[in-house]
DNA sequence: GTATCGATTAGC
DNA sequence: CTAATCGATACA
């Protein structure tokens, strides 16, 4: 599954002079038209059209009137499958991320899907961006999981389609979002 | 048309 | 627990 393959990989953002680099530590998979939790469940629209396009592009949506969330389209054209980037570990460009986020805590700069988009400066205008050719891309290098096990559990914040354990994260990583319960039992980090 | 609810987050 | 705040969806 693409979601698991993304964990430990590195996202690079070269949209400004400052080069941002971050390791993907938590993701959620969304299955397209047959997944009731997916934005694609109700069919193609202006908002989610990118999901129905070719893989390797960014699906960026606006929600709750104030947040953006970033997905990687990963299914064949028409499948509308996507992986939501829920949390990353800052590796380079922390100064710019801190400025955008208005906070200093390293572990929380990219913790939570809304925070990811804010720290990276991504919004609806980046909807459809090609994540292979850049300027925002996912490095093709071997994923570095820092020796951590892969954990999985139910997706956060979804009602319909709960029951599918389609959230994946690096066990015990300090930058992963969610509560103790959501991270699967005691001693999560 | 109006009502309701989000793939959320920060703050009390 | 709640406000913030817009758009998509549900319903009359």
């Amino acid at each position: 599954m693409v979601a698991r393959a993304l964990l430990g990989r590195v996202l690079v953002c070269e949209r400004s002079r400052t080069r941002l680099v971050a390791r993907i530590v938590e993701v959620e998979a969304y299955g397209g038209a047959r997944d009731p939790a997916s934005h694609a469940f109700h069919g193609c629209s202006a908002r989610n059209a990118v999901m129905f396009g070719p893989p390797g592009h960014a699906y960026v949506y606006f929600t709750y009137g104030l947040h953006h969330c970033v997905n990687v389209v990963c299914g064949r054209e028409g499948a509308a499958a996507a992986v939501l980037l829920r949390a990353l570990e800052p590796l380079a460009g922390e100064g710019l991320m801190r400025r955008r986020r208005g906070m200093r805590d390293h572990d929380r700069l990219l913790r939570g899907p809304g925070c990811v988009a804010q720290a990276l400066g991504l919004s609806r205008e980046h909807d459809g961006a090609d994540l292979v050719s850049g300027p925002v891309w996912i490095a093709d290098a071997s994923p570095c999981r820092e020796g951590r096990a892969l954990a999985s559990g139910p997706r956060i914040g979804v009602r319909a389609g709960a029951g599918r354990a389609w959230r994946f994260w690096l066990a015990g990583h300090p930058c992963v979002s969610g509560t103790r319960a959501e991270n699967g039992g005691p001693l999560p980090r």
Side-chain angles (χ1 to χ4, degrees):
Chain A
M1 175 183 275
V2 176
R4 278 185 282 250
L6 283 173
L7 285 177
R9 298 198 113 89
V10 164
L11 183 139
V12 184
C13 191
E14 287 192 319
R15 301 176 33 247
S16 65
R17 273 240 235 309
T18 307
R19 175 187 171 110
L20 305 180
V21 183
R23 175 178 295 119
I24 299 169
V25 299
E26 179 188 1
V27 297
E28 278 175 0
Y30 286 86
R34 292 154 309 288
D35 175 9
S38 171
H39 289 168
F41 185 66
H42 300 285
C44 187
S45 67
R47 178 203 199 192
N48 65 14
V50 170
M51 289 179 90
F52 290 81
H57 291 248
Y59 165 48
V60 184
Y61 67 87
F62 182 60
T63 189
Y64 287 99
L66 63 164
H67 299 298
H68 292 274
C69 298
V70 183
N71 295 254
V72 180
V73 177
C74 61
R76 278 197 292 281
E77 191 158 356
V83 173
L84 172 69
L85 301 182
R86 281 199 62 91
L88 298 86
E89 172 192 355
L91 298 177
E94 286 179 46
L96 178 53
M97 296 184 201
R98 286 196 176 100
R99 230 172 299 139
R100 286 172 169 163
R101 293 271 295 115
M103 56 94 72
R104 305 155 258 313
D105 185 347
H106 167 93
D107 291 351
R108 295 191 177 183
L109 288 178
L110 297 161
R111 183 183 164 156
C115 302
V116 169
Q118 184 180 35
L120 298 177
L122 299 176
S123 61
R124 274 297 276 175
E125 59 188 296
H126 304 99
D127 187 48
D130 187 336
L131 294 176
V132 176
S133 65
V136 182
W137 77 91
I138 295 167
D140 199 20
S142 300
C144 171
R145 293 170 181 167
E146 303 173 312
R148 295 179 187 278
L150 290 193
S152 65
R155 294 172 291 185
I156 293 179
V158 306
R159 297 166 66 82
R164 290 169 165 92
W166 284 359
R167 171 175 172 247
F168 305 92
W169 68 95
L170 299 187
H173 197 289
C175 297
V176 169
S177 75
T179 65
R180 185 166 43 234
E182 288 162 336
N183 284 331
L187 201 60
R189 60 176 77 105

